[in-house]
Amino acid sequence: MYYGVKIRMYGINGNEDNLRYYNAMVKDNVNLTLLIVIRSFLFSALLLILKMTLFFNQGSDSVTHWTILVWCYTVISLAWNMIGYQCAERSAQPDKHRITKFGQGIMLLWYSGTIGARILLIAIAASQWPLYTFLGCMLNWILWTAWIYNQKDGAHNFCRELTRSELTEPAHLDLWTFLFSAVLAEVYTFTLVNFKEGSTFLRYCFYYVLMTLQNGTVLILDIYFGSSTDEFSVTYLYIFRILSILLFITGIVAMLIYYMFVHAKVKCYAVTCCPV
């Protein structure tokens, strides 16, 4: 609000500081949308895993058709929050194009598929081996926390003071940066958040190869070592195993389509890319 008022004031007066305040506003908007992403995953994603775990353990009496629709809406909402962050990040970079509506639709398939598959598989594993699933998630969280904290020009510069003209890194352990890295690492359990400028190709390749290996390991362990005496649970486990595979494949294919044909930096004929 502060920067918005300043933009209006300097715009009316014709002051050249208008652009400086606009850049500050869009950068703060990126930080705000990132906080929205973190909040949604800290609450909605973990709650959805808990509800689905109870569903696999208790059977059909624990849910209704309306509940399943709410679950689907939750996954789509998580994906849409990620799209909002990506769009805000693009708007803060004047040298890059905006993400088109068609591109946002492809991204919705990408994030819905990969996030939905991840939540399903964690819930399936938690219904079979709750303790080992918890330990595995904790190990995953610790490793991502260390990785995020040690990223150059990454978490150290989140919400940095606008008076600092250059990106800096502390020479010693920064408690607040470490805590932010730990919170952001929870989101990395489900999806990759690009919180620093630069090429994302290698980061996405590394992350989704790792996610594929983890998801495949959970599926293999569940198929060969999972146990359930309830016929209903066995039937639904098979259905959701297949669903998780289809969702993940859909998400990966959508991601490849996005970066090959619809990416905002690609000059394509099917989509009109409008510069900021």
Side-chain angles (χ1 to χ4, degrees):
M1 290 179 63
Y2 172 78
Y3 291 129
V5 171
K6 286 290 187 180
I7 289 170
R8 300 293 294 182
M9 291 174 58
Y10 285 113
I12 293 173
N13 298 330
N15 196 301
E16 293 183 357
D17 287 340
N18 184 291
L19 181 60
R20 181 167 63 90
Y21 282 111
Y22 174 78
N23 290 333
M25 183 183 70
V26 294
K27 289 183 183 299
D28 272 3
N29 187 50
V30 174
N31 293 333
L32 176 62
T33 53
L34 179 56
L35 291 175
I36 292 173
V37 167
I38 292 174
R39 182 191 64 183
S40 63
F41 277 93
L42 281 173
F43 177 74
S44 301
L46 299 182
L47 185 60
L48 182 56
I49 289 175
L50 175 61
K51 289 181 177 180
M52 297 197 71
T53 302
L54 294 175
F55 166 70
F56 289 129
N57 286 330
Q58 297 176 5
S60 60
D61 295 336
S62 61
V63 298
T64 62
H65 295 295
W66 173 251
T67 305
I68 295 178
L69 289 177
V70 172
W71 292 353
C72 296
Y73 173 77
T74 302
V75 173
I76 294 173
S77 297
L78 293 171
W80 192 254
N81 287 335
M82 284 297 304
I83 296 172
Y85 172 70
Q86 294 276 20
C87 291
E89 188 181 37
R90 280 281 172 173
S91 65
Q93 302 177 52
D95 59 326
K96 294 185 178 180
H97 296 89
R98 291 182 184 270
I99 299 176
T100 63
K101 296 296 183 182
F102 182 70
Q104 292 178 23
I106 299 297
M107 291 180 74
L108 186 63
L109 288 176
W110 163 13
Y111 285 117
S112 297
T114 54
I115 294 172
R118 189 68 159 180
I119 290 175
L120 263 178
L121 289 172
I122 292 177
I124 290 174
S127 67
Q128 299 284 342
W129 313 284
L131 178 59
Y132 291 117
T133 303
F134 173 76
L135 293 176
C137 290
M138 285 293 295
L139 177 61
N140 190 72
W141 171 70
I142 291 171
L143 293 176
W144 280 124
T145 299
W147 187 82
I148 294 170
Y149 183 83
N150 288 286
Q151 285 292 292
K152 183 179 180 181
D153 298 339
H156 297 287
N157 294 284
F158 175 73
C159 280
R160 67 189 179 91
E161 297 177 11
L162 296 176
T163 55
R164 286 161 49 190
S165 58
E166 297 182 357
L167 300 178
T168 59
E169 295 185 29
H172 53 82
L173 178 65
D174 185 345
L175 177 60
W176 296 113
T177 301
F178 178 79
L179 291 176
F180 172 70
S181 301
V183 173
L184 189 60
E186 189 274 336
V187 182
Y188 271 61
T189 303
F190 306 96
T191 188
L192 176 65
V193 180
N194 181 36
F195 58 92
K196 54 179 290 187
E197 297 183 6
S199 176
T200 59
F201 177 75
L202 293 178
R203 270 174 277 172
Y204 276 113
C205 287
F206 170 75
Y207 180 83
Y208 282 105
V209 167
L210 180 62
M211 178 180 276
T212 302
L213 294 175
Q214 291 177 343
N215 291 353
T217 301
V218 171
L219 271 174
I220 292 173
L221 290 175
D222 181 60
I223 291 172
Y224 287 99
F225 300 103
S227 60
S228 180
T229 57
D230 183 72
E231 183 178 350
F232 168 85
S233 298
V234 172
T235 302
Y236 265 79
L237 278 175
Y238 275 114
I239 293 175
F240 280 104
R241 286 169 187 163
I242 296 173
L243 180 61
S244 65
I245 296 173
L246 294 177
L247 282 174
F248 190 71
I249 292 175
T250 301
I252 295 298
V253 171
M255 181 184 67
L256 294 176
I257 292 174
Y258 174 80
Y259 276 101
M260 291 175 64
F261 305 107
V262 196
H263 191 261
K265 292 188 68 175
V266 175
K267 300 295 184 181
C268 53
Y269 297 99
V271 180
T272 303
C273 300
C274 302
V276 175

